[in-house]
Amino acid sequence: MYRKRKQVIRKQSSASQMFFLKDEQLRSIFGKQTIDTIKKREHRYIMKNSVLYPITNRYRMALSLDGMWQFQFDPKSCGLSENWKDGLPSPISMPVPASFSDFFTTGSERDYCGDFWYQKDFFVPETAQSKVQLRFGSITHRAIVFCNGIEVARHEGGFLPVVADVTDVVRCGAVNWVCIWVNNDLNESTLPCGTHNVLSSGRKIVKPYFDFFNYSGIQRSVYLVMLPAESIQDYEVSYTLDGADAQVDYKVFCEGAGEISVQLLDAENKLVAEANGAEGALCVQNAHLWQVRNAYLYTIVIVLKKDGLPVDEYRERIGIRTVEIRGTKILINGKSVYLKGFGKHEDFDILGRGFNWAVAKRDFECMKWTDANCFRTSHYPYAEEWYQMADEEGFLIIDEVPAVGMMRSTHNFAAAGTGQYTYFFETPTVPELLKNHIQQVKEMMARDKNHPSVFAWSLFNEPETTSEYAKDYFTKVFEAARTLDPQNRPLTGAFEKNSAPDKCRCYQLCDFICLNRYYGWYISGGAEMEEAEVKFRAEMDKWAAKKLNVPFVFTEFGTDTLATEHKLPAIMWSQEYQNEYLAMNFSVFDSYDFVQGELVWNFADFQTSEGVMRVNGNKKGIFTRQRQPKDAAFTFKRRWESLPLNYKGE
């Protein structure tokens, strides 16, 4: 059943032999120009192709390739040299989308670090459009994509789309195959950061510089996308409010020449504005605004015409809203908003980090029940479907690039506040890391720029920020980011305890400041709770003395808590202690007007690497990993329902 794919295809069609002949033989058979065109396609990378979310209409088609794929570990890294791209020698079945780790029953497979492969057959219809693409929502962490044995894309970064143009290599009206080399190792030149150890047996195990499990694989949906030759590649929108009216400025980017028309439809599909040209403005009278927890979505319809006839169309739901930082306030549509919500993870039993609509639905219902209005995509961009649901539900999102682990510590959560300095930004890997960092910021903003739910970009989580080396590094990241967003949304990053007000060199780069603080847990926990509050207020007084006149948001605070543990008097890990800790933190938050948000860590318990400080993962969830409430969930519900949306506002 699993014979070498090369042998099977040779029997099907003599023309398909072109994929297995040497370049000289190919040129003699098909001509130099044709084969050179195919070879050039081997080096097309993601940003040369559209990352618009796949849709199907009369001009374009998106066919899901989700389901059971073939899968094989490659611990000796021999797959590339042995041409596994032509067919995996001994594969097993593997669901896509999903992480691979939690399907296995042995530790060596669950914790696998190194090369591995996926493969799947797919059929391209005879009626396929002029342009054919394979679109992966993500491949974690790096990948080379082969179609019919020919390299069509490679990508670094595990949380953003990989799009491969396969027009010149697929056979229409026939079965084709895609084979993907993937690697999930960690290092200090890519994001997220980490390293690995090699055991005496030769087995490699990953050592993350971050506190979540290194789930990997094809964790988001895969589509076969068919487009016309002249097609819409991308668009961007920005908004201006004028009393009850609004102006929607737009730009459309296409491949090929043609005329462009743009329409805006309301929620009842009635036309409210239209314009012509690749760049223009849509004037909306009595505009319905996208409000926090009260979303209103319009539909933008972009049509590309050639010789007066439509050749492509793309439509998507957008929300009219503005974002502004004014003094210490966060303003949505000119009105102050206090952020209430969660740091999250894409994490669930068995699925790992694989996207699942049912899990997403449950998460939003739980967040709505607590009266939350915001979450951070800690610590990487999530699957696109999360943003679509947030758009519909009126949730705000702080969208975070996977710049986590920029401190040389496998227990960075415990190192925070100890003053540890690891010279992270003083090593030879920094130039390559910076290049990758900026590229992933570009890709994140390119993908997510039109979502009304995204109101801010987070460019790092808990790096070392106390040196001039770090300041120089992040200055370059922020300067690049400020050129990329058509809506000029605020930029921020999350600072850990070592980034103290008298030591941090990077907080000045942020439009608002995000603090991750664990006074009462990692700092002066347990019987020292009252001392924790003294230390917490002392730090906040130092921030206040700086008179920065910007909002502060607590993007992490919390305690590990076992859902089964109750204790009076309270002790650490009990639910009573979690509530006492929260009461202390709320008291501090309420004491400072410039504190404009609280995103607890974490929405739900999640998996981490093994360790003596982790009992089958991180237990700081307000909900269990199965999305059932701990006592603290009711505490948050009572508090957040009592706080108005404009708490501490004008």
Side-chain angles (χ1 to χ4, degrees):
M1 180 177 179
Y2 300 125
R3 289 176 295 174
K4 279 280 190 176
R5 190 64 54 184
K6 175 164 52 178
Q7 299 168 350
V8 175
I9 295 297
R10 276 179 169 170
K11 292 179 181 179
Q12 291 178 348
S13 169
S14 60
S16 67
Q17 291 182 23
M18 64 177 289
F19 299 121
F20 312 107
L21 298 175
K22 294 182 178 179
D23 290 353
E24 294 79 6
Q25 295 171 299
L26 291 171
R27 292 188 178 99
S28 66
I29 298 172
F30 297 99
K32 181 178 186 301
Q33 184 175 359
T34 300
I35 300 309
D36 286 350
T37 298
I38 293 175
K39 297 302 289 182
K40 288 178 182 178
R41 293 280 184 173
E42 295 182 11
H43 302 288
R44 293 183 63 128
Y45 301 122
I46 172 177
M47 297 312 289
K48 294 184 180 180
N49 293 307
S50 171
V51 295
L52 290 175
Y53 191 79
I55 65 171
T56 296
N57 57 32
R58 61 182 298 187
Y59 307 105
R60 48 175 66 208
M61 183 177 292
L63 299 176
S64 173
L65 297 184
D66 292 355
M68 296 304 289
W69 287 50
Q70 302 306 311
F71 177 91
Q72 187 167 347
F73 290 123
D74 183 11
K76 296 182 179 179
S77 297
C78 62
L80 287 171
S81 62
E82 294 181 2
N83 290 322
W84 288 12
K85 62 186 176 63
D86 299 329
L88 302 182
S90 301
I92 61 173
S93 60
M94 182 62 64
V96 169
S99 307
F100 67 75
S101 292
D102 289 351
F103 297 117
F104 294 105
T105 56
T106 69
S108 60
E109 293 169 305
R110 178 197 61 203
D111 300 328
Y112 179 83
C113 174
D115 297 353
F116 53 98
W117 293 72
Y118 285 85
Q119 179 181 310
K120 188 172 182 65
D121 290 348
F122 63 97
F123 184 84
V124 179
E126 286 278 8
T127 57
Q129 297 278 26
S130 299
K131 189 187 304 179
V132 183
Q133 298 175 339
L134 289 169
R135 187 191 194 275
F136 303 81
S138 67
I139 310 175
T140 312
H141 292 286
R142 56 199 59 84
I144 305 174
V145 182
F146 301 91
C147 182
N148 292 341
I150 295 177
E151 180 182 335
V152 291
R154 60 174 64 196
H155 186 253
E156 173 66 46
F159 304 98
L160 290 159
V162 182
V163 183
D165 188 335
V166 296
T167 306
D168 295 331
V169 300
V170 295
R171 293 172 298 115
C172 296
V175 174
N176 300 264
W177 81 93
V178 59
C179 211
I180 305 117
W181 168 91
V182 192
N183 178 276
N184 68 345
D185 203 351
L186 300 175
N187 58 58
E188 295 184 0
S189 64
T190 60
L191 302 176
C193 299
T195 186
H196 67 257
N197 286 350
V198 178
L199 305 181
S200 57
S201 64
R203 185 164 67 92
K204 187 186 298 183
I205 57 172
V206 75
K207 290 292 183 179
Y209 296 166
F210 49 85
D211 187 35
F212 54 95
F213 194 83
N214 189 42
Y215 282 120
S216 45
I218 303 178
Q219 302 180 122
R220 298 173 188 167
S221 288
V222 185
Y223 287 93
L224 176 68
V225 179
M226 288 164 276
L227 305 172
E230 288 83 17
S231 59
I232 299 160
Q233 290 287 97
D234 200 4
Y235 78 96
E236 60 186 41
V237 287
S238 59
Y239 309 104
T240 305
L241 303 184
D242 183 11
D245 302 333
Q247 178 172 303
V248 181
D249 293 300
Y250 71 85
K251 290 183 181 179
V252 178
F253 307 91
C254 296
E255 182 170 328
E259 307 86 44
I260 295 169
S261 64
V262 180
Q263 295 182 330
L264 196 67
L265 309 180
D266 66 14
E268 298 176 347
N269 281 326
K270 295 179 180 178
L271 179 67
V272 297
E274 58 185 336
N276 294 310
E279 184 174 349
L282 299 164
C283 298
V284 185
Q285 295 182 340
N286 297 313
H288 296 280
L289 300 184
W290 186 93
Q291 306 276 12
V292 179
R293 292 297 308 276
N294 183 22
Y296 187 96
L297 295 175
Y298 289 87
T299 299
I300 189 169
V301 182
I302 305 167
V303 178
L304 175 63
K305 299 179 181 179
K306 188 174 183 180
D307 299 326
L309 297 176
V311 295
D312 191 21
E313 177 185 300
Y314 191 82
R315 59 175 61 202
E316 193 166 51
R317 301 176 79 191
I318 62 172
I320 298 175
R321 61 96 187 91
T322 60
V323 180
E324 181 185 358
I325 301 297
R326 187 187 304 164
T328 61
K329 303 298 184 282
I330 299 169
L331 305 181
I332 305 296
N333 302 324
K335 297 180 180 179
S336 177
V337 172
Y338 186 83
L339 306 182
K340 305 178 293 184
F342 301 94
K344 288 185 92 282
H345 266 298
E346 288 183 300
D347 177 280
F348 197 75
D349 283 342
I350 301 176
L351 301 172
R353 219 169 299 292
F355 177 77
N356 180 277
W357 280 107
V359 174
K361 175 64 175 177
R362 174 65 177 180
D363 282 11
F364 272 99
E365 291 304 312
C366 288
M367 289 191 291
K368 287 157 58 178
W369 175 78
T370 65
D371 203 43
N373 60 28
C374 180
F375 62 89
R376 177 172 62 130
T377 67
S378 41
H379 298 295
Y380 38 82
Y382 290 179
E384 292 144 291
E385 293 82 359
W386 285 100
Y387 303 77
Q388 295 167 3
M389 292 187 72
D391 292 344
E392 295 177 2
E393 297 285 2
F395 272 79
L396 293 169
I397 292 177
I398 300 175
D399 204 4
E400 189 161 271
V401 77
V404 59
M406 293 178 160
M407 175 192 293
R408 200 171 283 110
S409 171
T410 56
H411 293 87
N412 59 334
F413 53 90
T418 64
Q420 177 181 359
Y421 184 72
T422 66
Y423 303 91
F424 188 88
F425 293 103
E426 301 176 39
T427 56
T429 58
V430 166
E432 185 66 20
L433 177 66
L434 178 62
K435 176 183 175 183
N436 284 325
H437 195 156
I438 292 174
Q439 179 64 23
Q440 292 195 47
V441 172
K442 289 180 179 179
E443 294 181 22
M444 176 179 71
M445 291 187 175
R447 192 195 70 168
D448 298 337
K449 62 183 178 295
N450 295 322
H451 287 287
S453 55
V454 176
F455 84 98
W457 310 102
S458 175
L459 304 188
F460 57 75
N461 179 77
E462 297 191 350
E464 289 183 338
T465 65
T466 58
S467 70
E468 289 300 311
Y469 297 97
K471 181 180 179 180
D472 179 66
Y473 177 95
F474 285 110
T475 296
K476 292 182 174 67
V477 174
F478 274 72
E479 286 176 347
R482 292 196 187 279
T483 68
L484 300 172
D485 180 14
Q487 296 183 19
N488 297 313
R489 275 163 280 213
L491 304 180
T492 189
F495 296 91
E496 51 90 20
K497 179 60 175 67
N498 286 334
S499 301
D502 54 344
K503 294 181 179 180
C504 182
R505 299 290 182 266
C506 298
Y507 68 83
Q508 302 92 334
L509 300 170
C510 297
D511 297 312
F512 66 96
I513 295 173
C514 295
L515 299 182
N516 297 351
R517 294 295 185 269
Y518 291 94
Y519 290 102
W521 187 248
Y522 296 121
I523 300 172
S524 299
E528 299 179 24
M529 176 77 78
E530 62 186 66
E531 186 67 17
E533 182 172 358
V534 172
K535 293 178 180 179
F536 197 174
R537 290 183 180 277
E539 181 188 346
M540 294 306 295
D541 289 343
K542 290 181 180 179
W543 285 115
K546 286 184 171 291
K547 301 184 186 301
L548 298 178
N549 196 34
V550 298
F552 279 61
V553 175
F554 282 92
T555 40
E556 289 188 28
F557 62 101
T559 73
D560 284 274
T561 305
L562 296 178
T564 57
E565 190 68 22
H566 290 275
K567 190 81 170 182
L568 284 177
I571 62 168
M572 297 175 79
W573 290 82
S574 71
Q575 298 204 61
E576 289 74 20
Y577 186 85
Q578 188 175 35
N579 278 327
E580 289 184 11
Y581 167 95
L582 292 175
M584 183 273 284
N585 277 259
F586 295 155
S587 176
V588 174
F589 300 163
D590 293 342
S591 299
Y592 299 88
D593 287 342
F594 57 84
V595 174
Q596 289 292 308
E598 51 193 65
L599 307 185
V600 66
W601 191 256
N602 188 283
F603 169 73
D605 295 345
F606 59 92
Q607 196 66 53
T608 66
S609 301
E610 295 181 75
V612 295
M613 297 183 68
R614 293 286 173 256
V615 183
N616 189 26
N618 190 305
K619 293 297 189 289
K620 291 189 180 67
I622 302 307
F623 294 85
T624 67
R625 201 181 189 204
Q626 293 73 36
R627 277 43 177 185
Q628 295 302 325
K630 299 179 185 177
D631 285 2
F634 297 90
T635 298
F636 276 104
K637 179 177 174 62
R638 287 190 296 269
R639 172 173 170 81
W640 287 345
E641 287 180 342
S642 72
L643 298 182
L645 183 62
N646 65 343
Y647 178 54
K648 301 185 188 177
E650 297 294 335

